[in-house]
Amino acid sequence: MSAAGVALMLGGAGIVLAASPAQAAEVSYRTECIPPPISGLPPVQGTTKVEITAPAEAKVGDEVEVVWKFVEAASKNPDIIDLEKDTVKPTGTLRAAGAQTADIAMEGSRTNPPIPKNSPMKLSDMKGKVKLTKAGEVTLTPDAYNINVSKPMSTDTKCTPKETVKAGATIKVSDGGGTSGGTSGGTSSGGTTSGGTTTSGGGTTSGGPTSGGTSSGGTTSGGGDGGRSDFPGKEVAVTFACKSPGPASINSKVTINAKKNGGSYDLVVKTAKGVMNSPAALPAGALKPSMAVLLGGVDKGTVPVTGPANKDPLEQGKPVDLPDMTGTYKPGASGKSTLSPGTLTIDVTLGGQKIGIPCTVKGSAAVSLELDTAAQPGGASGGDSSGGTTSGTTSGGLAQTGAEDNGALRALALVAGTVILLGGAVFTFTPWRRLRGTR
């Protein structure tokens, strides 16, 4: 019996199961792959060829391992960027039917050779486990799968069958009169990861230091403004969790300052200087930050603040400063109101298409500023955006982060470059020529 013909499973009780000789069958099916949203590209049609390996026979109670081998992915790596070694990871779903039904989570390792431009994708084998609970024939059929690319940023390409897929393997399950080892639970964990996180800076702060904002004028003494007009906030550290294609998490430092303007307050949200080196060329007006400042204390809701787009082109390798973001806070309640960093978004606009990368605060955001407020007609107090207007010159802004950490903002600059838009759109081929033409 060859090594490939035996499925060896080490059960939770330390028992080794020897199943019958394995059988492998190749199956192909029409596939539609959706590039990551950052690319702005249409779906790609292709053919996926896989080989499913599983034991030919087993007994009720056995937990067996199945292997999904990619014979051919749906398309080549586009003629834009070389994918680095060990940056591509597949995950997917294998469907069991017949004597028992189950979704088997399949997961591959992030191991691949360098994949040059315009060359076939090289994806690692995916593996999963299923515990057999009923006698009879169990068929195994490949279903949807996901390709994650971790560099230059974490992106996902989702692929689904566009036709009925034939079974790739069949297991004949006999009634063994009990279990013969094996672990409980039918699927392996992690099969649906959208991972490939590329955090930098560690992401170790969660909400930053104190929650009071008591230093350097960060709070007003009770009973009103006392004639003051300027209210400097306190710099606080925040960890943001970003959605793909952004990084998994980033660290940011944010300061919220206020200036009294009648019954309202003009807000200025500042971030660190030189938060990153631009890894790609970015045209003027392509990147715009904004943030939803969180209200607390007696007041509720958020205040939108927006920064202007970059005035000058950003050069590859040169430091990038994020602009200050401004907005107006109109109090909706009287008493002590707090202001904290909230959801961050970066808008990148290229070729008439806007792409937003939202990043939400992990845990509780630290308070940067506390104000003694007096309720104003039409003020916040539970609304989504107190004050209702932003004072900046930009329009349609997204939440901004002021990150000091290179990781997230590096990803944002990467996003903006047409070359980097490839990111994880590893299944996109022809449409890239159109993008290069517009650049």
Side-chain angles (χ1 to χ4, degrees):
M1 188 183 302
S2 67
V6 179
L8 295 178
M9 279 304 305
L10 181 60
I15 299 175
V16 177
L17 299 180
S20 64
Q23 31 109 25
E26 184 177 306
V27 59
S28 63
Y29 52 96
R30 288 187 291 108
T31 308
E32 180 179 73
C33 294
I34 307 298
I38 192 66
S39 70
L41 297 174
V44 176
Q45 310 298 324
T47 298
T48 300
K49 294 182 181 179
V50 302
E51 184 179 88
I52 305 299
T53 302
E57 297 178 355
K59 295 181 295 184
V60 172
D62 287 353
E63 184 181 52
V64 298
E65 182 180 68
V66 292
V67 179
W68 171 325
K69 178 182 179 63
F70 284 95
V71 177
E72 182 179 314
S75 187
K76 296 180 179 180
N77 180 26
D79 188 20
I80 299 295
I81 189 173
D82 296 331
L83 297 179
E84 297 180 19
K85 182 179 183 292
D86 298 339
T87 58
V88 181
K89 176 178 181 176
T91 56
T93 301
L94 190 67
R95 298 198 181 278
Q100 77 180 64
T101 58
D103 287 347
I104 306 171
M106 307 295 292
E107 182 175 9
S109 59
R110 195 177 296 282
T111 52
N112 60 275
I115 305 175
K117 308 169 192 174
N118 195 27
S119 66
M121 292 298 300
K122 300 294 184 182
L123 306 177
S124 64
D125 294 350
M126 298 193 297
K127 297 180 179 181
K129 302 173 186 176
V130 59
K131 186 167 185 177
L132 304 171
T133 58
K134 294 181 180 180
E137 290 191 348
V138 177
T139 59
L140 303 173
T141 304
D143 198 61
Y145 60 93
N146 181 78
I147 305 297
N148 176 265
V149 175
S150 61
K151 291 183 179 180
M153 70 189 76
S154 178
T155 53
D156 293 295
T157 296
K158 302 182 183 299
C159 300
T160 54
K162 300 308 291 181
E163 64 178 327
T164 301
V165 184
K166 296 180 181 179
T170 301
I171 305 175
K172 292 183 179 180
V173 184
S174 61
D175 188 352
T179 64
S180 54
T183 60
S184 59
T187 61
S188 63
S189 62
T192 58
T193 176
S194 61
T197 62
T198 54
T199 61
S200 58
T204 55
T205 59
S206 57
T210 64
S211 58
T214 57
S215 67
S216 65
T219 64
T220 64
S221 57
D225 297 330
R228 296 172 58 190
S229 60
D230 292 319
F231 301 93
K234 169 181 180 174
E235 183 181 74
V236 294
V238 186
T239 296
F240 291 93
C242 303
K243 291 185 178 180
S244 179
S249 65
I250 59 172
N251 291 336
S252 301
K253 288 187 178 179
V254 181
T255 304
I256 303 172
N257 300 318
K259 184 179 181 66
K260 191 74 179 292
N261 184 0
S264 299
Y265 296 85
D266 294 332
L267 301 183
V268 178
V269 178
K270 291 183 173 293
T271 64
K273 300 297 182 181
V275 292
M276 67 173 186
N277 291 330
S278 180
L282 188 66
L287 186 149
K288 181 190 299 182
S290 64
M291 176 181 286
V293 175
L294 291 174
L295 297 175
V298 298
D299 216 346
K300 306 298 178 187
T302 60
V303 181
V305 291
T306 306
N310 54 305
K311 294 181 180 179
D312 301 313
L314 302 178
E315 297 181 30
Q316 183 172 359
K318 296 296 181 66
V320 176
D321 295 339
L322 292 180
D324 294 345
M325 294 166 287
T326 59
T328 300
Y329 166 42
K330 182 183 291 186
S334 298
K336 291 195 179 294
S337 300
T338 61
L339 290 83
S340 306
T343 298
L344 135 82
T345 310
I346 298 293
D347 272 341
V348 176
T349 304
L350 287 173
Q353 294 190 11
K354 179 189 286 187
I355 301 163
I357 301 177
C359 300
T360 55
V361 176
K362 280 179 142 183
S364 300
V367 172
S368 175
L369 181 64
E370 185 178 87
L371 299 170
D372 241 352
T373 58
Q376 302 296 312
S381 203
D384 290 333
S385 56
S386 41
T389 60
T390 57
S391 60
T393 59
T394 62
S395 62
L398 289 157
Q400 195 269 299
T401 167
E404 236 177 6
D405 182 277
N406 284 350
L409 295 173
R410 180 174 64 241
L412 299 176
L414 284 168
V415 164
T418 302
V419 171
I420 303 304
L421 281 174
L422 170 63
V426 296
F427 289 99
T428 304
F429 186 53
T430 305
W432 281 104
R433 294 192 177 97
R434 295 202 301 271
L435 277 184
R436 288 190 294 175
T438 60
R439 186 180 65 179

